[in-house]
């Protein structure tokens, strides 16, 4: 399994030589998340996170400096034909552009398959082979990227108190335990223990060792996930890396 971007490129080269037209499935979420693994592996796994975020918010450091290696790597994947940029531009999940069907037919060897690997009956119709989910290759090795989902209630919402009670239920240990067990995924809470499926074990081991990158960080003045998704779209649509970094700089200057 590839641990670094260089090893991943070599895997794609060999797969292309073996006849796979595009080794990487057309899934934009896959590509957006890859950028985060390249950008912030050092920040979250070795640096002083609080100090680095403070420098970003003060304008002393630039998000574009962090993000550039990830965008340059993605541009390399596109230029070498390892990614179907046209399909990826309009595809969100594995079913979006027939990625699931292509994977099962042997046309696409690498897919974004976190949930699918845990729920193969639903996602892939009980495949006859075993799947394994790894972290995204980075300079620090395989790196899980955790995207965060938040629940919010408007301060002046008509049924504010009732809505807050619903959020309390959704985020309770009992509900999260049921969620993780039903979906057979990695536990979303340190208070919840669950036996994830074997396919997710390499990823789970890294997460349990506190090795991961966050795709959202409320401490950063520039919102990460949504903005990165939009700028990756620009790259897939033909924008240069410099143009993408200029957009990121503009967002930081405005913030």
């Amino acid at each position: 399994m590839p641990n670094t971007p260089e090893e991943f490129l070599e895997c794609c080269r060999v797969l292309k030589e073996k006849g796979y037209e595009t080794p990487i499935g057309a899934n934009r979420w896959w590509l957006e998340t890859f950028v985060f693994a390249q950008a912030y592996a050092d920040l979250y796994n070795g640096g002083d996170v609080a100090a680095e975020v403070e420098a970003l918010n003060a304008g002393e450091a630039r998000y574009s400096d962090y993000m550039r290696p990830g965008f340059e790597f993605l541009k390399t994947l596109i230029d070498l034909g390892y990614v179907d940029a046209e399909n990826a531009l309009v595809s969100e999940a594995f079913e979006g552009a027939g990625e699931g069907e292509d994977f099962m037919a042997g046309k696409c060897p690498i897919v974004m398959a976190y949930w699918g690997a845990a729920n193969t009956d639903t996602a892939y119709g009980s495949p006859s082979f075993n799947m394994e989910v790894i972290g995204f290759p980075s300079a620090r090795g395989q790196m899980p990227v955790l995207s965060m989902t938040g629940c919010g209630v408007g301060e002046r919402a008509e049924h504010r108190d009732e809505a807050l009670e619903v959020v309390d239920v959704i985020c309770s240990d009992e509900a999260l335990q049921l969620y993780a067990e039903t979906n057979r995924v990695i536990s979303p809470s340190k208070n919840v223990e669950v036996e994830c499926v074997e396919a997710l074990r390499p990823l789970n081991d890294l997460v349990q060792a506190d090795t991961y990158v966050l795709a959202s960080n409320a401490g950063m003045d520039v919102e990460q996930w949504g903005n990165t998704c939009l700028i990756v779209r620009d790259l897939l649509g033909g924008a240069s890396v410099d143009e993408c970094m200029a957009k990121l700089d503009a967002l930081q200057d405005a913030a």
Side-chain angles (χ1 to χ4, degrees):
M1 295 293 182
N3 292 296
T4 66
E6 293 75 21
E7 290 176 0
F8 186 79
L9 283 174
E10 178 61 12
C11 285
C12 289
R13 184 192 66 79
V14 172
L15 287 167
K16 187 115 178 167
E17 282 187 355
K18 296 293 184 182
Y20 290 100
E21 187 175 346
T22 50
I24 302 173
N27 183 322
R28 196 167 70 250
W29 186 30
W30 207 108
L31 305 175
E32 293 154 357
T33 314
F34 216 137
V35 168
F36 280 108
Q38 305 304 310
Y40 295 128
D42 284 339
L43 185 150
Y44 288 110
N45 300 276
D48 184 336
V49 180
E52 291 195 51
V53 170
E54 184 178 347
L56 286 164
N57 291 341
E60 297 165 1
R62 304 299 285 176
Y63 289 100
S64 56
D65 289 337
Y66 284 90
M67 283 285 187
R68 181 176 288 276
F71 273 82
E72 289 179 341
F73 183 71
L74 179 52
K75 184 68 164 59
T76 297
L77 292 174
I78 295 169
D79 290 346
L80 291 174
Y82 299 157
V83 174
D84 184 342
E86 185 176 342
N87 270 340
L89 182 60
V90 298
S91 302
E92 294 288 357
F94 63 85
E95 68 269 25
E99 185 179 87
E101 291 83 356
D102 286 348
F103 178 62
M104 290 304 296
K107 299 178 182 178
C108 174
I110 305 173
V111 292
M112 179 76 173
Y114 170 73
W115 184 88
N119 298 271
T120 53
D121 288 358
T122 301
Y124 300 112
S126 301
S128 59
F129 51 86
N130 294 325
M131 300 181 68
E132 183 172 340
V133 181
I134 67 170
F136 292 95
S138 78
R140 285 181 169 266
Q142 294 177 17
M143 188 64 58
V145 176
L146 306 183
S147 54
M148 317 272 285
T149 298
C151 295
V153 176
E155 176 64 28
R156 299 181 183 180
E158 183 176 357
H159 300 287
R160 173 182 175 276
D161 293 340
E162 292 89 341
L164 286 171
E165 290 178 7
V166 171
V167 172
D168 284 342
V169 171
I170 292 172
C171 296
S172 68
D173 291 345
E174 294 79 9
L176 293 178
Q177 184 84 42
L178 181 62
Y179 167 83
E181 290 177 349
T182 300
N183 289 280
R184 308 174 71 205
V185 293
I186 296 172
S187 170
S189 169
K190 291 185 180 295
N191 299 328
V192 173
E193 291 187 12
V194 63
E195 189 69 22
C196 68
V197 298
E198 192 63 30
L200 299 181
R201 193 164 303 282
L203 210 62
N204 185 59
D205 289 346
L206 288 169
V207 172
Q208 297 308 316
D210 289 330
T211 299
Y212 53 78
V213 162
L214 297 179
S216 303
N217 187 327
M220 292 180 174
D221 286 349
V222 176
E223 188 276 330
Q224 292 294 291
W225 179 253
N227 283 319
T228 300
C229 291
L230 292 174
I231 298 174
V232 164
R233 278 184 62 102
D234 292 340
L235 189 73
L236 292 168
S240 68
V241 172
D242 284 342
E243 289 171 331
C244 291
M245 294 303 97
K247 281 200 169 185
L248 203 56
D249 285 340
L251 287 169
Q252 183 172 8
D253 292 342

